[in-house]
Amino acid sequence: MTILEIVRHPSPILTTPCEEVTVFDEKLGVLLDDMYETMVEHDGVGIAAPQVGKSIRAAIVDFDEEQEIIEMINPVVTAIGGSEVEVEGCLSFPGLFGEVERPFHVKIEAQERDGSLYELEAEGYEARAILHEIDHLNGILFDKKITRVVDPSEFEDDDEEEDDE
Ligand code: CO
């Protein structure tokens, strides 16, 4: 596996809607493995293909060691519910953290790396991470959704460090 370079804001690839994935080959698997390694290297909890320079609809979420990695190819949000405001970060915006309002519940339909379809329901932080990554695939960045910028000193004493998506 290879650690890839993360594309930082501002870059046109980050604000361009990504292309559907149509070929589920070994190359896609290698990209997903490399994205995973890149995300772990940078202490992220999610990463989207445009953040490593590939404008395709593929993203990963993995914020809980006990849970399986969520690989989302061509994800579509099929239902949302509730709302919650929490602090987010993003690997493409080092040092920027801010409060973002997002749905509390989400239901998605997506494909695995082998092309098979699956459905997933999530809530809370998991739903937030999923929606943050799907935004990336649509060229939407979290800085536009921040309602209050949060200084890292506000949460540096917390037990849990904020992670980047
Ligand atoms: Co992000």
Side-chain angles (χ1 to χ4, degrees):
M1 289 197 269
T2 313
I3 293 166
L4 306 169
E5 198 178 323
I6 291 182
V7 178
R8 291 181 174 187
H9 172 78
S11 168
I13 197 168
L14 293 176
T15 48
T16 303
C18 297
E19 299 283 329
E20 290 276 314
V21 173
T22 54
V23 181
F24 296 83
D25 59 2
E26 202 180 315
K27 222 173 95 185
L28 177 65
V30 169
L31 174 66
L32 289 163
D33 291 342
D34 289 348
M35 283 169 57
Y36 181 75
E37 198 175 31
T38 304
M39 179 186 85
V40 169
E41 172 73 16
H42 292 273
D43 293 323
V45 295
I47 192 167
Q51 292 183 282
V52 294
K54 302 278 181 206
S55 193
I56 61 167
R57 299 185 67 81
I60 294 173
V61 167
D62 182 35
F63 65 96
D64 183 349
E65 280 170 20
E66 289 166 22
Q67 207 161 344
E68 261 185 72
I69 303 163
I70 302 169
E71 290 187 348
M72 302 184 288
I73 321 292
N74 301 326
V76 178
V77 175
T78 54
I80 53 168
S83 90
E84 192 175 51
V85 176
E86 284 288 348
V87 176
E88 284 182 23
C90 179
L91 292 175
S92 294
F93 291 82
L96 178 64
F97 297 92
E99 290 181 344
V100 175
E101 183 177 1
R102 294 202 188 263
F104 184 74
H105 295 276
V106 67
K107 196 171 166 181
I108 65 158
E109 220 175 72
Q111 284 167 281
E112 310 271 12
R113 61 168 69 191
D114 67 0
S116 57
L117 270 174
Y118 70 92
E119 275 192 325
L120 177 75
E121 278 185 81
E123 61 180 37
Y125 194 53
E126 185 178 11
R128 172 171 302 274
I130 287 169
L131 288 164
H132 178 112
E133 298 316 324
I134 292 177
D135 270 357
H136 272 296
L137 305 182
N138 295 324
I140 296 165
L141 298 174
F142 93 123
D143 64 321
K144 297 282 187 292
K145 295 190 168 182
I146 291 177
T147 50
R148 186 176 76 91
V149 172
V150 176
D151 191 278
S153 65
E154 284 187 44
F155 53 72
E156 70 186 5
D157 293 333
D158 291 359
D159 292 335
E160 233 179 286
E161 242 180 87
E162 292 298 324
D163 294 313
D164 295 331
E165 291 155 28

